[in-house]
Amino acid sequence: MTNGESGDEYGILVHSIQKNATSKINIHVNEYKGTTFVDIREFYLEKESEQWKPGRKGIAIRDELYPELLQGIISAGEMLGMDGLDDSDAE
């Protein structure tokens, strides 16, 4: 990782979106075998341990593909009529 940042076993958590009481989407930056990835993955709340666990639903892309991912997200937002974030949209 860069800048001496530390994370958990899934990488550095950069954002989390709560879908419902037992499901959320986490965005991590992770490194594997010298390659940096952006990992967007659904996590579920395990009933027995009451811990968040990664599910199978997700995608990991190399960091050099991030600009294309971002452009796709921006294009989707424009199609939905969302030109950007204002203060009420940000956490």
Side-chain angles (χ1 to χ4, degrees):
M1 303 290 165
T2 58
N3 300 328
E5 295 180 60
S6 63
D8 59 22
E9 61 189 296
Y10 309 112
I12 298 170
L13 179 64
V14 294
H15 195 75
S16 187
I17 303 165
Q18 192 75 39
K19 287 179 63 178
N20 57 47
T22 61
S23 179
K24 63 182 177 178
I25 299 169
N26 282 352
I27 303 172
H28 285 91
V29 173
N30 200 355
E31 191 174 305
Y32 181 72
K33 294 188 178 182
T35 302
T36 303
F37 291 90
V38 175
D39 186 25
I40 304 168
R41 186 150 315 276
E42 187 168 342
F43 278 63
Y44 65 94
L45 186 60
E46 186 180 61
K47 291 180 183 180
E48 294 81 31
S49 68
E50 295 187 7
Q51 293 182 342
W52 289 99
K53 301 287 186 175
R56 291 183 159 205
K57 295 179 184 177
I59 183 170
I61 63 166
R62 294 184 321 275
D63 61 343
E64 64 263 17
L65 296 176
Y66 173 76
E68 288 187 57
L69 174 65
L70 181 59
Q71 185 56 54
I73 297 294
I74 290 169
S75 296
E78 289 170 351
M79 186 167 270
L80 294 170
M82 300 175 192
D83 294 328
L85 292 177
D86 61 29
D87 290 338
S88 65
D89 294 331
E91 288 186 5

